[in-house]
Amino acid sequence: MKKRKIAMVLVTEPCIGGGHQYALEIAECLKQLPDSQYELIAICKNRFWRKWCKENGINFFSLNWSEQEPKQIIRNLRFPLCTRIYNTYATEVGKIVKREKIDVLFVTAQIYIPNVMAKMITPVHDLMHRYEPSFPEVQNEYQWRELVFKFQARCVDYILTDSKLGKKQFVESYLKKSRSKPHIVPLPFVVPSHVAEVKEEYIEVPNRYVFYPAQFWKHKNHINLIKAIKIVKKDIDDIHLVLVGSEKNCGKEIKKCIAENSLEDNITIMGFVSNENITYLYRHAIGMIMPSYFGPTNIPPLEAMALGCPVAVSNKYAMPEQVGDAGLLFNPDSPEEIADCIRRLWLDRELREEMVKKGYRKISTWTREDFENRVLKIVEKCCTRMK
């Protein structure tokens, strides 16, 4: 039987957070493809992935990625058959596909890849530009995202969503009038491998604190969390919040809000920290508070539950389903509700202990083995349909 050649498209960087973790988990799974049936290679954008490929003995090609102009994507949408041939012979990705006789392109990030003569699998993490359009980080990308997802609905063979709700949102947004019907498979986030493998490394923090790991985007909702801390401080003077994540985007606004509310002694911003430090922060926190407006789901609640850290999350999209009875829920628009969850976690030891037990049970319902099996099954089905 002829071996199928699978090419992973690897473009993410560690600093982007959840999207990178997801790509890394996909890549780790694809390493398990049986050598007797598949040949695995990689198309890499950056040093991280080139190093990863060398360490794992995977042949790779370096590619300087350049974003396509909207008019080029529109052309691909209007003339998919003609552009498929053109892209295969004229684009850098297409030339690799043709020269290496690639059967399947497995794109590991939510990006645009031109239509080429190979089957394509790609993730769609969120459609928040449609469901939360008021936030500038998606508002500014609205046209781009719409074109990319419309293209994927027409030209991609398999689309991976983070949840059943994510699948439903994609169908109602792009497939009602579509002439083609890609296979949409929910592939929920799984506890990242570094959580199980990385040892904790001490980082100086107060003895008691609540924790929020998130880049400082507007939709991460740090402002309402800061307001909640101010409310809690009225009756818990030593309340403390630790924030980690890249300080770009809204970092200055958040620091200003902390100062205006006189919370410099109650909130610590640590910036970007190592996986070892993150593990320490989860394991020693009173709880992880995630007031994000975006979903459908997120990775930090999984990390927290796996490391014995109680969680409180927004009651939006599929987040309640993701944490089940292991997490507290609140309206992210309400600093009072966020404050109430923080207060309960801070004061009620028995509640925290029960939440930790429930968290362990919750993450056992979708394991790394389940994730790996589904990824490999998707590749198998995609290759089977080529016969």
Side-chain angles (χ1 to χ4, degrees), residues 274-304:
S274 69
N275 286 337
E276 291 83 358
N277 290 152
I278 286 280
T279 299
Y280 180 92
L281 290 167
Y282 275 124
R283 283 182 175 159
H284 295 271
I286 293 296
M288 193 279 291
I289 315 295
M290 187 159 197
S292 177
Y293 285 103
F294 279 18
T297 61
N298 292 284
I299 291 179
L302 298 177
E303 296 177 323

mmCIF file of all heavy atoms in Angstrom, residues 274-304:
data_model
loop_
_atom_site.group_PDB
_atom_site.id
_atom_site.type_symbol
_atom_site.label_atom_id
_atom_site.label_comp_id
_atom_site.label_asym_id
_atom_site.label_seq_id
_atom_site.Cartn_x
_atom_site.Cartn_y
_atom_site.Cartn_z
ATOM 1 N N SER A 274 7.770 31.621 32.351
ATOM 2 C CA SER A 274 8.041 30.289 31.803
ATOM 3 C C SER A 274 6.922 29.310 32.145
ATOM 4 O O SER A 274 6.110 29.548 33.056
ATOM 5 C CB SER A 274 9.357 29.754 32.365
ATOM 6 O OG SER A 274 9.212 29.476 33.756
ATOM 7 N N ASN A 275 6.888 28.179 31.445
ATOM 8 C CA ASN A 275 5.930 27.118 31.758
ATOM 9 C C ASN A 275 6.109 26.627 33.183
ATOM 10 O O ASN A 275 5.131 26.305 33.873
ATOM 11 C CB ASN A 275 6.099 25.946 30.786
ATOM 12 C CG ASN A 275 5.544 26.251 29.414
ATOM 13 O OD1 ASN A 275 4.682 27.115 29.255
ATOM 14 N ND2 ASN A 275 6.038 25.551 28.399
ATOM 15 N N GLU A 276 7.369 26.572 33.641
ATOM 16 C CA GLU A 276 7.637 26.118 35.012
ATOM 17 C C GLU A 276 7.033 27.079 36.033
ATOM 18 O O GLU A 276 6.464 26.655 37.046
ATOM 19 C CB GLU A 276 9.150 26.005 35.233
ATOM 20 C CG GLU A 276 9.835 24.883 34.464
ATOM 21 C CD GLU A 276 10.179 25.234 33.018
ATOM 22 O OE1 GLU A 276 9.856 26.369 32.580
ATOM 23 O OE2 GLU A 276 10.764 24.392 32.334
ATOM 24 N N ASN A 277 7.147 28.373 35.766
ATOM 25 C CA ASN A 277 6.542 29.368 36.656
ATOM 26 C C ASN A 277 5.022 29.304 36.617
ATOM 27 O O ASN A 277 4.352 29.423 37.657
ATOM 28 C CB ASN A 277 6.991 30.781 36.260
ATOM 29 C CG ASN A 277 8.449 31.053 36.559
ATOM 30 O OD1 ASN A 277 9.075 31.869 35.883
ATOM 31 N ND2 ASN A 277 9.015 30.399 37.565
ATOM 32 N N ILE A 278 4.464 29.114 35.426
ATOM 33 C CA ILE A 278 3.007 28.998 35.283
ATOM 34 C C ILE A 278 2.494 27.825 36.113
ATOM 35 O O ILE A 278 1.478 27.925 36.818
ATOM 36 C CB ILE A 278 2.621 28.806 33.803
ATOM 37 C CG1 ILE A 278 2.784 30.104 33.028
ATOM 38 C CG2 ILE A 278 1.188 28.299 33.672
ATOM 39 C CD1 ILE A 278 1.648 31.089 33.191
ATOM 40 N N THR A 279 3.210 26.696 36.018
ATOM 41 C CA THR A 279 2.809 25.514 36.789
ATOM 42 C C THR A 279 2.811 25.827 38.282
ATOM 43 O O THR A 279 1.873 25.465 39.008
ATOM 44 C CB THR A 279 3.767 24.340 36.493
ATOM 45 O OG1 THR A 279 3.689 24.031 35.099
ATOM 46 C CG2 THR A 279 3.394 23.099 37.296
ATOM 47 N N TYR A 280 3.831 26.511 38.753
ATOM 48 C CA TYR A 280 3.896 26.898 40.168
ATOM 49 C C TYR A 280 2.709 27.787 40.540
ATOM 50 O O TYR A 280 2.067 27.586 41.576
ATOM 51 C CB TYR A 280 5.207 27.636 40.451
ATOM 52 C CG TYR A 280 5.357 28.066 41.898
ATOM 53 C CD1 TYR A 280 5.989 27.247 42.822
ATOM 54 C CD2 TYR A 280 4.842 29.289 42.335
ATOM 55 C CE1 TYR A 280 6.105 27.634 44.155
ATOM 56 C CE2 TYR A 280 4.950 29.686 43.654
ATOM 57 C CZ TYR A 280 5.585 28.850 44.567
ATOM 58 O OH TYR A 280 5.677 29.233 45.879
ATOM 59 N N LEU A 281 2.425 28.763 39.697
ATOM 60 C CA LEU A 281 1.354 29.714 40.006
ATOM 61 C C LEU A 281 -0.004 29.032 40.089
ATOM 62 O O LEU A 281 -0.823 29.355 40.957
ATOM 63 C CB LEU A 281 1.339 30.829 38.961
ATOM 64 C CG LEU A 281 2.533 31.802 39.030
ATOM 65 C CD1 LEU A 281 2.604 32.661 37.783
ATOM 66 C CD2 LEU A 281 2.436 32.668 40.280
ATOM 67 N N TYR A 282 -0.272 28.082 39.192
ATOM 68 C CA TYR A 282 -1.526 27.323 39.280
ATOM 69 C C TYR A 282 -1.588 26.513 40.578
ATOM 70 O O TYR A 282 -2.598 26.525 41.286
ATOM 71 C CB TYR A 282 -1.641 26.347 38.101
ATOM 72 C CG TYR A 282 -2.203 26.912 36.823
ATOM 73 C CD1 TYR A 282 -1.476 26.832 35.636
ATOM 74 C CD2 TYR A 282 -3.464 27.497 36.779
ATOM 75 C CE1 TYR A 282 -1.989 27.318 34.437
ATOM 76 C CE2 TYR A 282 -3.982 27.991 35.589
ATOM 77 C CZ TYR A 282 -3.238 27.901 34.426
ATOM 78 O OH TYR A 282 -3.753 28.387 33.250
ATOM 79 N N ARG A 283 -0.530 25.791 40.868
ATOM 80 C CA ARG A 283 -0.556 24.851 41.991
ATOM 81 C C ARG A 283 -0.694 25.535 43.347
ATOM 82 O O ARG A 283 -1.200 24.941 44.295
ATOM 83 C CB ARG A 283 0.719 23.995 41.977
ATOM 84 C CG ARG A 283 0.700 22.897 40.924
ATOM 85 C CD ARG A 283 1.952 22.059 40.973
ATOM 86 N NE ARG A 283 1.875 20.941 40.035
ATOM 87 C CZ ARG A 283 2.918 20.281 39.560
ATOM 88 N NH1 ARG A 283 4.139 20.631 39.948
ATOM 89 N NH2 ARG A 283 2.757 19.276 38.730
ATOM 90 N N HIS A 284 -0.247 26.780 43.443
ATOM 91 C CA HIS A 284 -0.241 27.449 44.745
ATOM 92 C C HIS A 284 -1.307 28.546 44.860
ATOM 93 O O HIS A 284 -1.385 29.218 45.891
ATOM 94 C CB HIS A 284 1.150 28.014 45.017
ATOM 95 C CG HIS A 284 2.196 26.951 45.146
ATOM 96 N ND1 HIS A 284 2.507 26.347 46.345
ATOM 97 C CD2 HIS A 284 2.972 26.341 44.208
ATOM 98 C CE1 HIS A 284 3.448 25.429 46.152
ATOM 99 N NE2 HIS A 284 3.748 25.403 44.856
ATOM 100 N N ALA A 285 -2.121 28.712 43.829
ATOM 101 C CA ALA A 285 -3.160 29.755 43.859
ATOM 102 C C ALA A 285 -4.389 29.299 44.642
ATOM 103 O O ALA A 285 -4.704 28.105 44.700
ATOM 104 C CB ALA A 285 -3.563 30.121 42.433
ATOM 105 N N ILE A 286 -5.074 30.268 45.206
ATOM 106 C CA ILE A 286 -6.384 29.993 45.814
ATOM 107 C C ILE A 286 -7.374 29.591 44.726
ATOM 108 O O ILE A 286 -8.237 28.744 44.917
ATOM 109 C CB ILE A 286 -6.895 31.254 46.559
ATOM 110 C CG1 ILE A 286 -5.995 31.556 47.763
ATOM 111 C CG2 ILE A 286 -8.352 31.087 46.991
ATOM 112 C CD1 ILE A 286 -6.000 30.497 48.840
ATOM 113 N N GLY A 287 -7.237 30.189 43.558
ATOM 114 C CA GLY A 287 -8.111 29.860 42.440
ATOM 115 C C GLY A 287 -7.696 30.615 41.188
ATOM 116 O O GLY A 287 -6.943 31.602 41.254
ATOM 117 N N MET A 288 -8.152 30.138 40.040
ATOM 118 C CA MET A 288 -7.913 30.806 38.759
ATOM 119 C C MET A 288 -9.221 31.458 38.330
ATOM 120 O O MET A 288 -10.253 30.802 38.229
ATOM 121 C CB MET A 288 -7.454 29.793 37.708
ATOM 122 C CG MET A 288 -6.875 30.412 36.442
ATOM 123 S SD MET A 288 -8.077 30.992 35.228
ATOM 124 C CE MET A 288 -8.771 29.457 34.649
ATOM 125 N N ILE A 289 -9.172 32.764 38.071
ATOM 126 C CA ILE A 289 -10.355 33.521 37.695
ATOM 127 C C ILE A 289 -10.228 33.926 36.233
ATOM 128 O O ILE A 289 -9.264 34.599 35.857
ATOM 129 C CB ILE A 289 -10.511 34.806 38.552
ATOM 130 C CG1 ILE A 289 -10.256 34.503 40.029
ATOM 131 C CG2 ILE A 289 -11.880 35.434 38.337
ATOM 132 C CD1 ILE A 289 -11.249 33.567 40.664
ATOM 133 N N MET A 290 -11.206 33.539 35.395
ATOM 134 C CA MET A 290 -11.114 33.851 33.967
ATOM 135 C C MET A 290 -12.383 34.556 33.490
ATOM 136 O O MET A 290 -13.374 33.911 33.139
ATOM 137 C CB MET A 290 -10.886 32.582 33.153
ATOM 138 C CG MET A 290 -10.623 32.879 31.682
ATOM 139 S SD MET A 290 -9.770 31.540 30.847
ATOM 140 C CE MET A 290 -9.178 32.417 29.394
ATOM 141 N N PRO A 291 -12.365 35.896 33.445
ATOM 142 C CA PRO A 291 -13.562 36.655 33.046
ATOM 143 C C PRO A 291 -13.638 36.957 31.556
ATOM 144 O O PRO A 291 -14.296 37.909 31.145
ATOM 145 C CB PRO A 291 -13.414 37.941 33.856
ATOM 146 C CG PRO A 291 -11.937 38.149 33.928
ATOM 147 C CD PRO A 291 -11.308 36.776 33.971
ATOM 148 N N SER A 292 -12.979 36.166 30.722
ATOM 149 C CA SER A 292 -12.918 36.438 29.285
ATOM 150 C C SER A 292 -14.301 36.445 28.637
ATOM 151 O O SER A 292 -15.179 35.667 29.005
ATOM 152 C CB SER A 292 -12.050 35.385 28.596
ATOM 153 O OG SER A 292 -12.033 35.594 27.205
ATOM 154 N N TYR A 293 -14.452 37.320 27.641
ATOM 155 C CA TYR A 293 -15.686 37.357 26.852
ATOM 156 C C TYR A 293 -15.644 36.364 25.693
ATOM 157 O O TYR A 293 -16.666 36.087 25.085
ATOM 158 C CB TYR A 293 -15.894 38.755 26.273
ATOM 159 C CG TYR A 293 -16.367 39.780 27.279
ATOM 160 C CD1 TYR A 293 -15.471 40.711 27.803
ATOM 161 C CD2 TYR A 293 -17.695 39.824 27.696
ATOM 162 C CE1 TYR A 293 -15.899 41.667 28.716
ATOM 163 C CE2 TYR A 293 -18.124 40.771 28.611
ATOM 164 C CZ TYR A 293 -17.226 41.687 29.117
ATOM 165 O OH TYR A 293 -17.642 42.627 30.022
ATOM 166 N N PHE A 294 -14.456 35.886 25.357
ATOM 167 C CA PHE A 294 -14.310 35.046 24.173
ATOM 168 C C PHE A 294 -14.376 33.563 24.520
ATOM 169 O O PHE A 294 -13.942 33.140 25.586
ATOM 170 C CB PHE A 294 -12.974 35.329 23.476
ATOM 171 C CG PHE A 294 -12.984 36.541 22.583
ATOM 172 C CD1 PHE A 294 -13.967 37.511 22.696
ATOM 173 C CD2 PHE A 294 -11.996 36.714 21.628
ATOM 174 C CE1 PHE A 294 -13.963 38.636 21.893
ATOM 175 C CE2 PHE A 294 -11.978 37.834 20.807
ATOM 176 C CZ PHE A 294 -12.960 38.799 20.928
ATOM 177 N N GLY A 295 -14.873 32.792 23.606
ATOM 178 C CA GLY A 295 -14.927 31.345 23.685
ATOM 179 C C GLY A 295 -14.882 30.825 22.262
ATOM 180 O O GLY A 295 -14.282 31.465 21.396
ATOM 181 N N PRO A 296 -15.540 29.685 21.981
ATOM 182 C CA PRO A 296 -16.430 28.987 22.898
ATOM 183 C C PRO A 296 -15.773 28.436 24.164
ATOM 184 O O PRO A 296 -16.369 28.429 25.226
ATOM 185 C CB PRO A 296 -16.989 27.849 22.037
ATOM 186 C CG PRO A 296 -16.913 28.364 20.636
ATOM 187 C CD PRO A 296 -15.653 29.161 20.589
ATOM 188 N N THR A 297 -14.501 27.929 24.079
ATOM 189 C CA THR A 297 -13.826 27.427 25.268
ATOM 190 C C THR A 297 -12.421 28.021 25.322
ATOM 191 O O THR A 297 -11.988 28.706 24.401
ATOM 192 C CB THR A 297 -13.734 25.886 25.253
ATOM 193 O OG1 THR A 297 -12.972 25.467 24.109
ATOM 194 C CG2 THR A 297 -15.117 25.244 25.201
ATOM 195 N N ASN A 298 -11.709 27.736 26.417
ATOM 196 C CA ASN A 298 -10.348 28.247 26.596
ATOM 197 C C ASN A 298 -9.468 27.183 27.247
ATOM 198 O O ASN A 298 -9.976 26.254 27.903
ATOM 199 C CB ASN A 298 -10.374 29.504 27.471
ATOM 200 C CG ASN A 298 -11.032 30.687 26.780
ATOM 201 O OD1 ASN A 298 -10.453 31.325 25.919
ATOM 202 N ND2 ASN A 298 -12.289 30.979 27.138
ATOM 203 N N ILE A 299 -8.156 27.341 27.117
ATOM 204 C CA ILE A 299 -7.228 26.357 27.662
ATOM 205 C C ILE A 299 -6.936 26.540 29.158
ATOM 206 O O ILE A 299 -6.828 25.550 29.893
ATOM 207 C CB ILE A 299 -5.915 26.352 26.850
ATOM 208 C CG1 ILE A 299 -6.188 25.787 25.447
ATOM 209 C CG2 ILE A 299 -4.831 25.523 27.532
ATOM 210 C CD1 ILE A 299 -4.984 25.756 24.524
ATOM 211 N N PRO A 300 -6.801 27.773 29.700
ATOM 212 C CA PRO A 300 -6.450 27.916 31.121
ATOM 213 C C PRO A 300 -7.329 27.144 32.110
ATOM 214 O O PRO A 300 -6.787 26.587 33.075
ATOM 215 C CB PRO A 300 -6.538 29.432 31.348
ATOM 216 C CG PRO A 300 -6.121 29.995 30.031
ATOM 217 C CD PRO A 300 -6.760 29.088 29.013
ATOM 218 N N PRO A 301 -8.660 27.050 31.929
ATOM 219 C CA PRO A 301 -9.436 26.247 32.887
ATOM 220 C C PRO A 301 -8.993 24.780 32.925
ATOM 221 O O PRO A 301 -9.000 24.157 33.989
ATOM 222 C CB PRO A 301 -10.876 26.376 32.378
ATOM 223 C CG PRO A 301 -10.905 27.682 31.661
ATOM 224 C CD PRO A 301 -9.555 27.785 30.995
ATOM 225 N N LEU A 302 -8.586 24.238 31.775
ATOM 226 C CA LEU A 302 -8.105 22.858 31.738
ATOM 227 C C LEU A 302 -6.783 22.738 32.491
ATOM 228 O O LEU A 302 -6.577 21.787 33.259
ATOM 229 C CB LEU A 302 -7.915 22.394 30.293
ATOM 230 C CG LEU A 302 -9.148 22.369 29.402
ATOM 231 C CD1 LEU A 302 -8.753 21.962 27.980
ATOM 232 C CD2 LEU A 302 -10.195 21.406 29.937
ATOM 233 N N GLU A 303 -5.884 23.685 32.253
ATOM 234 C CA GLU A 303 -4.599 23.672 32.959
ATOM 235 C C GLU A 303 -4.823 23.749 34.466
ATOM 236 O O GLU A 303 -4.193 23.015 35.242
ATOM 237 C CB GLU A 303 -3.741 24.845 32.496
ATOM 238 C CG GLU A 303 -3.335 24.786 31.036
ATOM 239 C CD GLU A 303 -2.550 26.003 30.585
ATOM 240 O OE1 GLU A 303 -2.876 27.117 31.048
ATOM 241 O OE2 GLU A 303 -1.634 25.843 29.775
ATOM 242 N N ALA A 304 -5.708 24.644 34.875
ATOM 243 C CA ALA A 304 -5.974 24.828 36.304
ATOM 244 C C ALA A 304 -6.518 23.548 36.933
ATOM 245 O O ALA A 304 -6.023 23.096 37.974
ATOM 246 C CB ALA A 304 -6.958 25.984 36.502
#
